[in-house]
Amino acid sequence: MKVFVKFIFFSLGAIALLAPFTFLKPIFNKPLPVVIVEPEKPLPVKPPEKPMHSVNLPDFSAIGNTQLKKQRFFNFLKPTIINANNRLLALRNSVVAIEEKLGIDTPLSPDEIVFLNTQTKIFRIKGDLTYFQQVHQLLNRIDIIPTELILVQAANESAWGTSRFARIGLNFFGLWCYKKGCGMIPNSRISGGKHEVAAFQSLEEAVDKYLYNINTHYAYEVFRSIRQQLREQEQPLSPQILATGLLPYSERGVDYVSEIINMLRHNAKYIKE
């Protein structure tokens, strides 16, 4: 009888121990749920931006050799820059001839007067000025910028001709415009911004606009003052000295000027070749 009672208690204990697990169903025969993963939709491919000009521009990004890239970049831009500076020099010589006439109290011809009035408007010289004052201010603005300095700035601003703005709009100088559709909208333009990066139809137009910007914009009065002082002292127009007048060209200020001066030094051999 005692044995039987022990058996009963043992059986009840076993049942109590196993009871929580009797409701578990075996799952090894149950098929796993099928999860359907939809393929990710490919991001829309942005079509390549078409050039806004018809110039056969070299593919500078495809030139792996750094020295060769620099040489080809300078050779591509140099003739246009030299021609633009020569046009400025010819215009300047016409103003100098008028200055010499005024210096000896020789009356100006009607054509010379028209010429002065036209150039003062073009180069944004305002005020009720005498002919001598007009000439003085024109000589401050109608002058060249050393080819070396223009080339190095173009290299810096356009990443050696590989930037979007250089490739698409022939803008090697980072020049802005403010009329809708006048150029390319920068990807980094803040909301509400109105400026665009100017686009040009020819390299001549781009270089002329750069020269005109430096020669007329109020931000470069110091640059023009340095250049005028060098002229008055009959000193060469040193690119390194003139570069110090380009502080307003970049938000980086002094760092930008230092970089331009370093580039002038490091790339002198490529510019002269």
Side-chain angles (χ1 to χ4, degrees):
M1 182 65 177
K2 290 183 179 180
V3 175
F4 177 75
V5 171
K6 288 181 179 180
F7 174 77
I8 293 296
F9 278 107
F10 175 80
S11 299
L12 290 175
I15 292 172
L17 182 64
L18 295 174
F21 300 96
T22 57
F23 298 98
L24 296 176
K25 296 181 179 178
I27 60 172
F28 46 83
N29 289 325
K30 183 178 180 180
L32 295 173
V34 178
V35 179
I36 300 176
V37 180
E38 295 185 2
E40 292 185 4
K41 294 181 179 179
L43 295 174
V45 178
K46 190 176 181 180
E49 201 171 6
K50 294 182 179 180
M52 302 173 71
H53 59 86
S54 57
V55 175
N56 185 19
L57 191 65
D59 185 3
F60 295 109
S61 61
I63 304 174
N65 184 286
T66 301
Q67 289 75 20
L68 182 60
K69 178 188 292 186
K70 290 181 176 184
Q71 192 64 70
R72 289 189 179 176
F73 179 82
F74 289 144
N75 289 345
F76 176 73
L77 288 177
K78 192 186 297 183
T80 302
I81 293 171
I82 291 173
N83 289 337
N85 270 332
N86 285 339
R87 289 193 297 271
L88 274 175
L89 276 179
L91 191 60
R92 179 180 176 84
N93 288 337
S94 297
V95 179
V96 169
I98 293 176
E99 181 186 39
E100 292 173 350
K101 290 187 69 173
L102 292 173
I104 57 175
D105 292 328
T106 302
L108 300 182
S109 69
D111 287 343
E112 289 171 331
I113 293 172
V114 171
F115 172 80
L116 277 183
N117 291 334
T118 300
Q119 298 307 317
T120 53
K121 290 179 182 178
I122 292 175
F123 284 89
R124 299 179 179 178
I125 296 171
K126 299 179 181 179
D128 186 14
L129 307 176
T130 65
Y131 292 144
F132 186 80
Q133 289 171 328
Q134 289 180 33
V135 166
H136 180 75
Q137 292 202 29
L138 283 173
L139 290 177
N140 174 270
R141 298 191 175 204
I142 302 177
D143 205 346
I144 68 170
I145 298 173
T147 299
E148 304 97 310
L149 183 55
I150 301 177
L151 286 171
V152 164
Q153 270 202 281
N156 185 283
E157 294 290 334
S158 71
W160 296 95
T162 64
S163 72
R164 170 197 172 205
F165 303 128
R167 292 182 292 102
I168 304 302
L170 292 178
N171 191 335
F172 291 86
F173 304 102
L175 300 172
W176 288 8
C177 58
Y178 294 89
K179 184 178 179 180
K180 187 176 181 180
C182 62
M184 301 154 281
I185 298 176
N187 295 328
S188 59
R189 189 176 75 174
I190 62 174
S191 177
K194 301 295 183 182
H195 72 277
E196 298 182 12
V197 177
F200 303 103
Q201 296 300 308
S202 68
L203 193 57
E204 290 77 9
E205 183 186 5
V207 172
D208 285 345
K209 184 64 177 178
Y210 162 84
L211 288 166
Y212 183 77
N213 183 49
I214 299 294
N215 282 333
T216 61
H217 199 284
Y218 68 88
Y220 305 110
E221 289 179 356
V222 172
F223 178 94
R224 296 191 294 271
S225 177
I226 296 171
R227 183 176 61 185
Q228 188 173 29
Q229 290 178 36
L230 291 173
R231 287 293 194 191
E232 291 172 353
Q233 297 169 12
E234 298 183 352
Q235 297 295 317
L237 298 183
S238 165
Q240 290 80 6
I241 294 175
L242 287 170
T244 62
L246 294 175
L247 279 172
Y249 204 95
S250 169
E251 293 178 351
R252 294 189 289 133
V254 174
D255 290 338
Y256 176 77
V257 170
S258 297
E259 188 172 337
I260 293 298
I261 292 174
N262 286 333
M263 290 182 70
L264 282 167
R265 183 172 64 255
H266 294 151
N267 295 282
K269 63 178 181 179
Y270 303 111
I271 295 173
K272 293 178 180 178
E273 289 179 2

